[in-house]
PDB file of all heavy atoms in Angstrom:
ATOM      1  N   ALA A  46       5.893   1.842  73.997  1.00  0.00           N
ATOM      2  CA  ALA A  46       7.129   1.167  73.595  1.00  0.00           C
ATOM      3  C   ALA A  46       7.557   0.269  74.765  1.00  0.00           C
ATOM      4  O   ALA A  46       7.181   0.519  75.905  1.00  0.00           O
ATOM      5  CB  ALA A  46       8.220   2.192  73.287  1.00  0.00           C
ATOM      6  N   ILE A  47       8.278  -0.789  74.458  1.00  0.00           N
ATOM      7  CA  ILE A  47       8.789  -1.692  75.501  1.00  0.00           C
ATOM      8  C   ILE A  47      10.299  -1.665  75.496  1.00  0.00           C
ATOM      9  O   ILE A  47      10.945  -1.840  74.476  1.00  0.00           O
ATOM     10  CB  ILE A  47       8.324  -3.132  75.316  1.00  0.00           C
ATOM     11  CG1 ILE A  47       6.778  -3.212  75.218  1.00  0.00           C
ATOM     12  CG2 ILE A  47       8.823  -4.053  76.432  1.00  0.00           C
ATOM     13  CD1 ILE A  47       6.003  -2.933  76.449  1.00  0.00           C
ATOM     14  N   LEU A  48      10.844  -1.340  76.666  1.00  0.00           N
ATOM     15  CA  LEU A  48      12.314  -1.215  76.863  1.00  0.00           C
ATOM     16  C   LEU A  48      12.801  -2.323  77.793  1.00  0.00           C
ATOM     17  O   LEU A  48      12.046  -2.760  78.658  1.00  0.00           O
ATOM     18  CB  LEU A  48      12.647   0.114  77.459  1.00  0.00           C
ATOM     19  CG  LEU A  48      12.094   1.335  76.744  1.00  0.00           C
ATOM     20  CD1 LEU A  48      12.373   2.601  77.514  1.00  0.00           C
ATOM     21  CD2 LEU A  48      12.661   1.470  75.341  1.00  0.00           C
ATOM     22  N   SER A  49      14.032  -2.723  77.589  1.00  0.00           N
ATOM     23  CA  SER A  49      14.641  -3.801  78.391  1.00  0.00           C
ATOM     24  C   SER A  49      15.921  -3.294  79.048  1.00  0.00           C
ATOM     25  O   SER A  49      17.016  -3.612  78.564  1.00  0.00           O
ATOM     26  CB  SER A  49      14.903  -5.017  77.516  1.00  0.00           C
ATOM     27  OG  SER A  49      13.719  -5.390  76.841  1.00  0.00           O
ATOM     28  N   PRO A  50      15.803  -2.559  80.105  1.00  0.00           N
ATOM     29  CA  PRO A  50      17.018  -2.086  80.787  1.00  0.00           C
ATOM     30  C   PRO A  50      17.716  -3.242  81.488  1.00  0.00           C
ATOM     31  O   PRO A  50      17.161  -4.328  81.640  1.00  0.00           O
ATOM     32  CB  PRO A  50      16.486  -1.102  81.851  1.00  0.00           C
ATOM     33  CG  PRO A  50      15.067  -1.563  82.109  1.00  0.00           C
ATOM     34  CD  PRO A  50      14.576  -2.140  80.775  1.00  0.00           C
ATOM     35  N   VAL A  51      19.016  -3.018  81.870  1.00  0.00           N
ATOM     36  CA  VAL A  51      19.764  -4.072  82.569  1.00  0.00           C
ATOM     37  C   VAL A  51      19.850  -3.795  84.065  1.00  0.00           C
ATOM     38  O   VAL A  51      20.506  -4.528  84.788  1.00  0.00           O
ATOM     39  CB  VAL A  51      21.185  -4.234  81.961  1.00  0.00           C
ATOM     40  CG1 VAL A  51      21.056  -4.658  80.500  1.00  0.00           C
ATOM     41  CG2 VAL A  51      21.998  -2.974  82.105  1.00  0.00           C
ATOM     42  N   GLY A  52      19.266  -2.714  84.502  1.00  0.00           N
ATOM     43  CA  GLY A  52      19.268  -2.382  85.909  1.00  0.00           C
ATOM     44  C   GLY A  52      18.076  -1.485  86.253  1.00  0.00           C
ATOM     45  O   GLY A  52      17.148  -1.377  85.449  1.00  0.00           O
ATOM     46  N   ASP A  53      18.131  -0.823  87.395  1.00  0.00           N
ATOM     47  CA  ASP A  53      17.074   0.106  87.781  1.00  0.00           C
ATOM     48  C   ASP A  53      16.935   1.199  86.744  1.00  0.00           C
ATOM     49  O   ASP A  53      17.835   1.442  85.950  1.00  0.00           O
ATOM     50  CB  ASP A  53      17.353   0.707  89.137  1.00  0.00           C
ATOM     51  CG  ASP A  53      17.246  -0.298  90.265  1.00  0.00           C
ATOM     52  OD1 ASP A  53      16.681  -1.381  90.042  1.00  0.00           O
ATOM     53  OD2 ASP A  53      17.713  -0.006  91.397  1.00  0.00           O
ATOM     54  N   ILE A  54      15.788   1.892  86.823  1.00  0.00           N
ATOM     55  CA  ILE A  54      15.435   2.912  85.830  1.00  0.00           C
ATOM     56  C   ILE A  54      15.398   4.264  86.509  1.00  0.00           C
ATOM     57  O   ILE A  54      14.736   4.452  87.558  1.00  0.00           O
ATOM     58  CB  ILE A  54      14.044   2.564  85.269  1.00  0.00           C
ATOM     59  CG1 ILE A  54      14.148   1.399  84.298  1.00  0.00           C
ATOM     60  CG2 ILE A  54      13.428   3.758  84.553  1.00  0.00           C
ATOM     61  CD1 ILE A  54      14.861   1.742  83.029  1.00  0.00           C
ATOM     62  N   ALA A  55      16.046   5.281  85.915  1.00  0.00           N
ATOM     63  CA  ALA A  55      15.890   6.664  86.323  1.00  0.00           C
ATOM     64  C   ALA A  55      14.841   7.305  85.468  1.00  0.00           C
ATOM     65  O   ALA A  55      14.865   7.090  84.254  1.00  0.00           O
ATOM     66  CB  ALA A  55      17.203   7.413  86.199  1.00  0.00           C
ATOM     67  N   VAL A  56      13.928   8.056  86.039  1.00  0.00           N
ATOM     68  CA  VAL A  56      12.879   8.733  85.268  1.00  0.00           C
ATOM     69  C   VAL A  56      12.754  10.181  85.714  1.00  0.00           C
ATOM     70  O   VAL A  56      12.804  10.479  86.912  1.00  0.00           O
ATOM     71  CB  VAL A  56      11.522   7.976  85.364  1.00  0.00           C
ATOM     72  CG1 VAL A  56      11.045   7.876  86.807  1.00  0.00           C
ATOM     73  CG2 VAL A  56      10.446   8.681  84.514  1.00  0.00           C
ATOM     74  N   SER A  57      12.631  11.064  84.727  1.00  0.00           N
ATOM     75  CA  SER A  57      12.505  12.472  85.040  1.00  0.00           C
ATOM     76  C   SER A  57      11.799  13.183  83.855  1.00  0.00           C
ATOM     77  O   SER A  57      11.906  12.703  82.739  1.00  0.00           O
ATOM     78  CB  SER A  57      13.888  13.111  85.266  1.00  0.00           C
ATOM     79  OG  SER A  57      13.771  14.475  85.545  1.00  0.00           O
ATOM     80  N   THR A  58      11.133  14.297  84.135  1.00  0.00           N
ATOM     81  CA  THR A  58      10.433  15.000  83.061  1.00  0.00           C
ATOM     82  C   THR A  58      10.707  16.481  83.132  1.00  0.00           C
ATOM     83  O   THR A  58      10.913  17.006  84.252  1.00  0.00           O
ATOM     84  CB  THR A  58       8.911  14.726  83.121  1.00  0.00           C
ATOM     85  OG1 THR A  58       8.272  15.221  81.960  1.00  0.00           O
ATOM     86  CG2 THR A  58       8.255  15.382  84.320  1.00  0.00           C
ATOM     87  N   ASP A  59      10.787  17.160  82.010  1.00  0.00           N
ATOM     88  CA  ASP A  59      11.060  18.569  81.921  1.00  0.00           C
ATOM     89  C   ASP A  59      10.321  19.170  80.733  1.00  0.00           C
ATOM     90  O   ASP A  59      10.192  18.539  79.694  1.00  0.00           O
ATOM     91  CB  ASP A  59      12.568  18.808  81.707  1.00  0.00           C
ATOM     92  CG  ASP A  59      13.244  19.356  82.896  1.00  0.00           C
ATOM     93  OD1 ASP A  59      12.617  20.105  83.698  1.00  0.00           O
ATOM     94  OD2 ASP A  59      14.471  19.084  83.074  1.00  0.00           O
ATOM     95  N   ILE A  60       9.849  20.397  80.940  1.00  0.00           N
ATOM     96  CA  ILE A  60       8.999  21.012  79.905  1.00  0.00           C
ATOM     97  C   ILE A  60       9.646  22.323  79.442  1.00  0.00           C
ATOM     98  O   ILE A  60      10.324  23.013  80.164  1.00  0.00           O
ATOM     99  CB  ILE A  60       7.592  21.266  80.523  1.00  0.00           C
ATOM    100  CG1 ILE A  60       6.591  21.667  79.416  1.00  0.00           C
ATOM    101  CG2 ILE A  60       7.638  22.308  81.611  1.00  0.00           C
ATOM    102  CD1 ILE A  60       5.164  21.497  79.885  1.00  0.00           C
ATOM    103  N   LEU A  61       9.493  22.579  78.120  1.00  0.00           N
ATOM    104  CA  LEU A  61       9.920  23.859  77.539  1.00  0.00           C
ATOM    105  C   LEU A  61       8.694  24.550  76.969  1.00  0.00           C
ATOM    106  O   LEU A  61       7.901  23.948  76.250  1.00  0.00           O
ATOM    107  CB  LEU A  61      10.866  23.614  76.346  1.00  0.00           C
ATOM    108  CG  LEU A  61      12.287  23.131  76.672  1.00  0.00           C
ATOM    109  CD1 LEU A  61      12.971  22.728  75.355  1.00  0.00           C
ATOM    110  CD2 LEU A  61      13.049  24.224  77.374  1.00  0.00           C
ATOM    111  N   VAL A  62       8.489  25.842  77.319  1.00  0.00           N
ATOM    112  CA  VAL A  62       7.345  26.605  76.861  1.00  0.00           C
ATOM    113  C   VAL A  62       7.796  27.840  76.104  1.00  0.00           C
ATOM    114  O   VAL A  62       8.636  28.594  76.579  1.00  0.00           O
ATOM    115  CB  VAL A  62       6.477  27.038  78.064  1.00  0.00           C
ATOM    116  CG1 VAL A  62       5.240  27.868  77.627  1.00  0.00           C
ATOM    117  CG2 VAL A  62       6.031  25.785  78.878  1.00  0.00           C
ATOM    118  N   GLU A  63       7.249  27.988  74.891  1.00  0.00           N
ATOM    119  CA  GLU A  63       7.525  29.180  74.088  1.00  0.00           C
ATOM    120  C   GLU A  63       7.143  30.448  74.848  1.00  0.00           C
ATOM    121  O   GLU A  63       6.063  30.513  75.438  1.00  0.00           O
ATOM    122  CB  GLU A  63       6.679  29.105  72.784  1.00  0.00           C
ATOM    123  CG  GLU A  63       6.849  30.220  71.830  1.00  0.00           C
ATOM    124  CD  GLU A  63       5.873  30.164  70.656  1.00  0.00           C
ATOM    125  OE1 GLU A  63       5.125  29.181  70.568  1.00  0.00           O
ATOM    126  OE2 GLU A  63       5.874  31.073  69.837  1.00  0.00           O
ATOM    127  N   GLY A  64       8.026  31.426  74.871  1.00  0.00           N
ATOM    128  CA  GLY A  64       7.743  32.669  75.550  1.00  0.00           C
ATOM    129  C   GLY A  64       8.168  32.632  77.019  1.00  0.00           C
ATOM    130  O   GLY A  64       8.301  33.672  77.650  1.00  0.00           O
ATOM    131  N   VAL A  65       8.456  31.439  77.549  1.00  0.00           N
ATOM    132  CA  VAL A  65       8.920  31.263  78.907  1.00  0.00           C
ATOM    133  C   VAL A  65      10.396  30.806  78.882  1.00  0.00           C
ATOM    134  O   VAL A  65      11.287  31.438  79.436  1.00  0.00           O
ATOM    135  CB  VAL A  65       8.076  30.298  79.763  1.00  0.00           C
ATOM    136  CG1 VAL A  65       8.657  30.146  81.159  1.00  0.00           C
ATOM    137  CG2 VAL A  65       6.620  30.759  79.798  1.00  0.00           C
ATOM    138  N   HIS A  66      10.621  29.690  78.171  1.00  0.00           N
ATOM    139  CA  HIS A  66      11.962  29.091  78.105  1.00  0.00           C
ATOM    140  C   HIS A  66      12.685  29.379  76.789  1.00  0.00           C
ATOM    141  O   HIS A  66      13.896  29.260  76.700  1.00  0.00           O
ATOM    142  CB  HIS A  66      11.906  27.580  78.250  1.00  0.00           C
ATOM    143  CG  HIS A  66      11.238  27.137  79.537  1.00  0.00           C
ATOM    144  ND1 HIS A  66       9.914  26.871  79.623  1.00  0.00           N
ATOM    145  CD2 HIS A  66      11.767  26.923  80.768  1.00  0.00           C
ATOM    146  CE1 HIS A  66       9.636  26.516  80.865  1.00  0.00           C
ATOM    147  NE2 HIS A  66      10.706  26.524  81.568  1.00  0.00           N
ATOM    148  N   PHE A  67      11.930  29.685  75.733  1.00  0.00           N
ATOM    149  CA  PHE A  67      12.576  30.010  74.423  1.00  0.00           C
ATOM    150  C   PHE A  67      11.690  30.964  73.619  1.00  0.00           C
ATOM    151  O   PHE A  67      10.513  31.121  73.900  1.00  0.00           O
ATOM    152  CB  PHE A  67      12.871  28.714  73.660  1.00  0.00           C
ATOM    153  CG  PHE A  67      11.599  28.023  73.184  1.00  0.00           C
ATOM    154  CD1 PHE A  67      11.058  28.278  71.934  1.00  0.00           C
ATOM    155  CD2 PHE A  67      10.973  27.080  73.973  1.00  0.00           C
ATOM    156  CE1 PHE A  67       9.917  27.644  71.491  1.00  0.00           C
ATOM    157  CE2 PHE A  67       9.836  26.449  73.552  1.00  0.00           C
ATOM    158  CZ  PHE A  67       9.288  26.721  72.292  1.00  0.00           C
TER     159      PHE A  67
END
Side-chain angles (χ1 to χ4, degrees):
Chain A
I47 305 291
L48 306 174
S49 306
V51 299
D53 291 346
I54 287 290
V56 58
S57 180
T58 191
D59 251 330
I60 192 162
L61 288 171
V62 179
E63 180 187 358
V65 179
H66 303 91
F67 67 91

